[in-house]
Amino acid sequence: MLSSLFTSKTRVKLLIKLFLNPDVSSYLRELAAEFELSPNALKEELDGLSQAGYLNKEKKGRYIFYNANRKHPFFPEISSIVRKHMGIDGLMEIIVNHLGTVLEVYILDDYAKGIDSGLIDVLIVGDVDPEKVHTLCMNAEKHLKRRVRTLMLTEAQFEDSHDVIMKRPHWKIF
């Protein structure tokens, strides 16, 4: 879907990385290594997106960090397109509407860092039906072409292990 909207594969990778979880920020060489691209090719895309106002640039020491500009008028739309492309929106709708009492949902690890590794780790806090979760994951994996791994915790279990879990990269989506 994104590749038909944007002809640059590098731009698509940047949008996924920085708009999937807008709390993620990265610097040029880090992105170049992750995408296996030359810093020069990547810098052109970063400069273009920054000049258009889609990305913020912040200098920290000798590095310039880039992240999604939440104040840009198109931020909600771009973020929504990226989440739909990755399947996060559809997955969330099913989790919230069909699994029981869901209090919170987090994306953990790679996807929380904006990395499309092919494995989506989801933490569901609440009183949910494990059989329904298993069925959901099997169906979602076929549709998303990505593996979905879930961790289900009651509210009490989450409170007991909150500090340990929240040390992992995380992104609260519900």
Side-chain angles (χ1 to χ4, degrees):
M1 178 172 75
L2 280 175
S3 58
S4 62
L5 283 173
F6 302 101
T7 56
S8 166
K9 291 179 183 178
T10 302
R11 185 164 290 199
V12 170
K13 288 178 182 181
L14 283 170
L15 291 174
I16 290 170
K17 172 76 175 178
L18 300 174
F19 281 81
L20 182 61
N21 177 359
D23 292 332
V24 167
S25 65
S26 297
Y27 60 94
L28 177 64
R29 294 213 181 270
E30 175 184 34
L31 291 167
E34 183 178 325
F35 298 160
E36 297 177 352
L37 295 169
S38 75
N40 290 339
L42 193 56
K43 183 159 179 17
E44 287 180 33
E45 289 289 351
L46 287 168
D47 287 345
L49 290 169
S50 297
Q51 288 169 359
Y54 296 112
L55 299 180
N56 294 320
K57 289 169 61 169
E58 181 182 357
K59 187 165 174 96
K60 292 180 184 176
R62 59 180 224 199
Y63 297 105
I64 297 174
F65 283 82
Y66 298 86
N67 68 330
N69 179 2
R70 293 176 189 250
K71 294 178 182 175
H72 193 281
F74 291 146
F75 171 81
E77 286 80 7
I78 295 171
S79 182
S80 177
I81 289 170
V82 168
R83 287 192 315 271
K84 282 181 175 92
H85 171 76
M86 301 304 291
I88 300 297
D89 279 1
L91 184 62
M92 283 309 307
E93 183 180 327
I94 293 168
I95 288 172
V96 172
N97 294 329
H98 300 286
L99 294 184
T101 305
V102 178
L103 303 173
E104 297 178 69
V105 179
Y106 294 86
I107 300 293
L108 302 173
D109 302 328
D110 286 348
Y111 276 78
K113 295 188 286 186
I115 299 171
D116 183 6
S117 65
L119 174 63
I120 303 173
D121 285 305
V122 181
L123 167 62
I124 304 169
V125 180
D127 183 20
V128 296
D129 181 345
E131 290 298 318
K132 284 185 178 179
V133 171
H134 178 71
T135 302
L136 162 75
C137 288
M138 288 177 35
N139 292 332
E141 287 175 355
K142 291 175 192 169
H143 175 71
L144 301 174
K145 296 182 177 76
R146 290 168 178 80
R147 189 157 183 280
V148 178
R149 184 169 53 188
T150 58
L151 173 59
M152 297 166 278
L153 299 175
T154 64
E155 188 174 15
Q157 290 171 323
F158 180 64
E159 288 176 14
D160 289 345
S161 57
H162 182 272
D163 292 342
V164 172
I165 292 173
M166 293 298 108
K167 286 182 182 175
R168 295 168 67 175
H170 62 279
W171 167 36
K172 183 176 181 177
I173 53 177
F174 177 80

